[in-house]
Amino acid sequence: MSRMTSTFVAAAVAAVSSSAMADVPFQQLADLGLGGSPSDVNASGVIVGGVRVEDRSSPYIPVFWKTTTSQPTPLPTVNGGYAVAINSNGDIVGTEFQTSGVYGIPVLWSNGERIELPDLGEGAFAVDINESGVIAGNVIVNGEYRAARWVDRELEVLALPPFDVGGGELWSVANSINSAGVITGTIQAPVAPPANALRWDADGVSIIESGGLETKGIAINNLGGILVNGYFDGGTSRAPAVVDVDGSVRVLEVPADLFGGASATTMGRNGIAAGNYNNFADGN
């Protein structure tokens, strides 16, 4: 079966500057000869991610690229892992690989220093950091995921709204934080539906009403618009949408007649969303 994978980019704000939409030439990032994976880039063009250092089966180590033509610079690490987000101040967050009895180790790298963030004894994952240094992520509590944040490097488990998963385990995950400290993520059953996108702000936690089914909160921009993935048109189409602070919902346009629909993977602070879809060339 042949398959072609494509990507989509959609403007999620009413007006986007021409420079933001300008073509950017392809630039392959340097690695250490064994491959790598970039995860985020800040306003200064510093890129963070991970590369392999020994062989193709070895763990990744967290690195940053100062420019697109720079060699990767390793970040101090104990167990290897990934750098996943960077703010405009150059503060980097990520997760080191697990040790015995711990799922993952959340780490902040600031001014070249490795700072291990607190958890509740079972591990945690740092996923995003805003310009004030507030970190969003997830902590393991009795084997279950809970959305969390670290303020001044102190852990706070985020509250949950009432939500029915049919009597089973209830998980929450945080995925993104904006410059105002508003966080988006998801409340869900561990593996299968149900699920619903969430917002955490100064007023507490709220379920995002979008008209979609099984929605998940992916990213938030600086205007408070939240990018979600879900099923729309009565559940017949899988697509991304942006839910603005006034409650208006904009399902993002994707190519028609897609097999399997489309998913968003990220949104910039300026509201430009990106994601991917699968186009099965032989119709299967």
Side-chain angles (χ1 to χ4, degrees), residues 28-278:
Q28 183 171 344
L29 297 176
D31 55 29
L32 300 178
L34 296 168
S37 177
S39 297
D40 195 21
V41 59
N42 71 4
S44 299
V46 181
I47 300 166
V48 297
V51 299
R52 295 190 189 277
V53 293
E54 295 178 0
D55 56 53
R56 295 193 184 278
S57 63
S58 66
Y60 279 78
I61 63 167
V63 300
F64 69 90
W65 292 265
K66 190 173 182 180
T67 71
T68 56
T69 57
S70 300
Q71 292 295 313
T73 300
L75 292 161
T77 180
V78 174
N79 299 301
Y82 291 89
V84 297
I86 181 171
N87 65 16
S88 61
N89 301 317
D91 296 320
I92 299 168
V93 295
T95 302
E96 292 187 354
F97 295 123
Q98 66 185 29
T99 58
S100 178
V102 175
Y103 288 93
I105 301 169
V107 176
L108 164 69
W109 291 275
S110 183
N111 296 318
E113 180 185 1
R114 174 190 177 273
I115 301 160
E116 190 171 319
L117 299 169
D119 60 28
L120 296 175
E122 299 178 66
F125 304 86
V127 301
D128 200 7
I129 182 169
N130 71 4
E131 309 316 303
S132 299
V134 181
I135 299 164
N138 306 292
V139 64
I140 309 299
V141 182
N142 297 323
E144 300 177 5
Y145 281 73
R146 287 288 182 269
R149 67 178 179 180
W150 289 265
V151 182
D152 296 328
R153 305 173 188 177
E154 294 296 324
L155 173 66
E156 176 189 347
V157 180
L158 297 175
L160 297 181
F163 193 73
D164 183 13
V165 292
E169 294 179 352
L170 180 64
W171 284 15
S172 62
V173 293
N175 287 320
S176 178
I177 182 171
N178 70 5
S179 295
V182 183
I183 296 171
T184 191
T186 308
I187 189 168
Q188 63 184 80
V191 178
N196 210 112
L198 295 181
R199 174 192 287 108
W200 289 273
D201 57 24
D203 295 324
V205 60
S206 58
I207 288 178
I208 298 172
E209 303 294 345
S210 65
L213 303 176
E214 308 304 338
T215 58
K216 296 186 176 182
I218 304 302
I220 183 168
N221 63 33
N222 276 344
L223 297 178
I226 290 178
L227 178 68
V228 304
N229 285 329
Y231 293 86
F232 295 90
D233 298 326
T236 60
S237 65
R238 183 169 67 90
V242 175
V243 183
D244 291 317
V245 291
D246 63 0
S248 61
V249 180
R250 291 170 288 132
V251 179
L252 301 185
E253 182 180 355
V254 298
D257 301 323
L258 287 182
F259 181 85
S263 296
T265 56
T266 188
M267 179 170 62
R269 300 285 192 254
N270 60 0
I272 296 177
N276 56 70
Y277 61 88
N278 292 324

